[in-house]
Amino acid sequence: MSGEQRLVIRGNDSKYVKLNVGGSLFYTTIGTLTKQDTMLRAMFSGRMEVLTDPEGWILIDRCGKHFATILNFLRDGSVSLPDTKRELTDLLFEAKYYLVQGLVDAAETALKKKNEELEPICRVPLITSQKEEQSLIQSTSKPVVKLLCNRHNNKYSYTSNSDDNLLRNIELFDKLSLRFTGRVLFIKDVIGSNEICCWSFYGHGQKVAEVCCTSIVYGTDKKHTKVEFPEAKIYEETLNVLLYENRDKGPDAELMQATRGYTVGSSVGGGYHSDDDGDEGTSRMRRK
């Protein structure tokens, strides 16, 4: 721009200067600009030359979007930070450029908190092979709850509400994994060759219970696959598997008998009939 010149700015703290930061205009005092040990102090305390236009505006070749926040921090030592991660990142870049260390620290702390909030609350491994499943179950010290869920493991048509029940099983799995994260290892299996929807429960590397949610029902002309949602049984087995938490050899026999109503090692067949009209199906529950 014609008429631009470089000057050394000096003056007392109360002297006002005009700043053009990337096209955004600011009017502030030398006292504010030199209040903290930043690049702006170097620019306005006579140690550096600054570029001015013919109208006396001091030109700074940076985006002016966050410069007001920079000035407010220099004035007060604290400032309200942006809410979004992107805005915080942009502010951090500007604070680093101007060497405003206090604002750099505040923005980095806020960004770290944002990143922690975005981290998944829990992580659920997805099984891709039988070998991987066994490795996960044997290597953890936690009880394990596994949901095998594969709608395509089926050669018959599904009953009318099977899709909804399949979804309910998946939603319950997600709810339980959030509730007991850190205490139980939750595994999702979408590879299983035979079952369509089946819950398995492990303690100390051994399967202790299983709730299968599918059955075959007979219509007038052909077989159908029925997916059920035995919510109470799934909750019960999830709570029971917590008995294997933080124990070296397994749960106490008396405690197991009190909570399950039978002696450890016994086998009880369980099941229930669906309430759906016209269907005759039974879900299966097995305890080891």
Side-chain angles (χ1 to χ4, degrees):
M1 180 185 297
S2 177
E4 290 178 354
Q5 57 180 325
R6 291 191 173 275
L7 300 174
V8 173
I9 303 297
R10 291 188 178 92
N12 57 42
D13 288 350
S14 61
K15 179 181 178 180
Y16 275 85
V17 291
K18 303 186 296 183
L19 307 177
N20 182 337
V21 185
S24 298
L25 305 180
F26 300 89
Y27 196 54
T28 188
T29 65
I30 288 179
T32 294
L33 295 169
T34 60
K35 191 173 184 179
Q36 298 186 29
D37 187 14
T38 68
M39 189 180 78
L40 291 167
R41 174 185 282 183
M43 292 173 63
F44 294 94
S45 60
R47 285 183 281 163
M48 295 174 58
E49 289 184 337
V50 297
L51 184 67
T52 64
D53 68 10
E55 297 179 359
W57 289 92
I58 298 167
L59 306 176
I60 300 177
D61 187 20
R62 297 292 294 182
C63 176
K65 182 176 181 179
H66 295 288
F67 194 75
T69 303
I70 301 287
L71 288 180
N72 286 333
F73 187 85
L74 294 177
R75 293 183 182 109
D76 303 324
S78 62
V79 73
S80 297
L81 297 176
D83 292 328
T84 68
K85 184 178 178 181
R86 180 175 180 177
E87 294 292 304
L88 275 171
T89 301
D90 290 344
L91 176 61
L92 177 60
F93 285 149
E94 296 304 302
K96 286 182 175 180
Y97 175 80
Y98 293 109
L99 303 178
V100 186
Q101 190 57 48
L103 186 55
V104 168
D105 294 341
E108 287 181 339
T109 299
L111 270 175
K112 182 179 179 181
K113 185 176 180 181
K114 288 284 184 185
N115 289 331
E116 289 173 351
E117 291 173 354
L118 293 174
E119 282 292 314
I121 299 175
C122 64
R123 298 180 184 274
V124 176
L126 192 66
I127 294 299
T128 57
S129 70
Q130 188 70 23
K131 184 177 180 181
E132 181 185 15
E133 175 186 320
Q134 291 303 316
S135 176
L136 281 170
I137 293 172
Q138 296 300 323
S139 63
T140 184
S141 59
K142 301 176 183 178
V144 176
V145 174
K146 184 191 77 169
L147 173 62
L148 188 162
C149 187
N150 190 341
R151 188 180 183 280
H152 302 290
N153 289 345
N154 183 35
K155 60 182 179 180
Y156 306 116
S157 60
Y158 283 95
T159 57
S160 59
N161 63 344
S162 288
D163 283 334
D164 288 341
N165 284 337
L166 190 64
L167 181 59
R168 290 188 182 101
N169 278 280
I170 295 171
E171 289 175 340
L172 179 57
F173 179 84
D174 292 342
K175 183 189 299 184
L176 292 172
S177 63
L178 289 172
R179 179 176 179 182
F180 295 108
T181 183
R183 298 181 65 187
V184 175
L185 173 62
F186 288 86
I187 299 174
K188 189 172 288 187
D189 184 355
V190 295
I191 306 297
S193 59
N194 295 319
E195 296 289 352
I196 296 165
C197 183
C198 185
W199 295 73
S200 300
F201 304 85
Y202 299 81
H204 301 292
Q206 301 295 320
K207 185 185 287 188
V208 295
E210 187 177 83
V211 178
C212 297
C213 304
T214 52
S215 58
I216 301 298
V217 296
Y218 295 88
T220 56
D221 56 345
K222 58 182 179 179
K223 297 179 181 179
H224 301 278
T225 298
K226 182 180 187 180
V227 179
E228 302 182 275
F229 179 49
E231 182 176 12
K233 292 181 183 296
I234 295 165
Y235 263 114
E236 177 188 3
E237 295 303 334
T238 302
L239 294 176
N240 282 334
V241 83
L242 289 173
L243 296 171
Y244 291 85
E245 186 181 22
N246 300 323
R247 293 180 181 270
D248 295 331
K249 297 181 180 180
D252 180 82
E254 292 183 1
L255 182 58
M256 289 292 289
Q257 185 173 10
T259 56
R260 281 188 165 176
Y262 64 92
T263 306
V264 174
S266 67
S267 177
V268 177
Y272 69 100
H273 290 280
S274 170
D275 293 331
D276 295 340
D277 293 335
D279 289 337
E280 295 180 0
T282 304
S283 79
R284 307 182 304 283
M285 180 179 71
R286 297 189 289 270
R287 294 192 181 95
K288 303 298 180 181

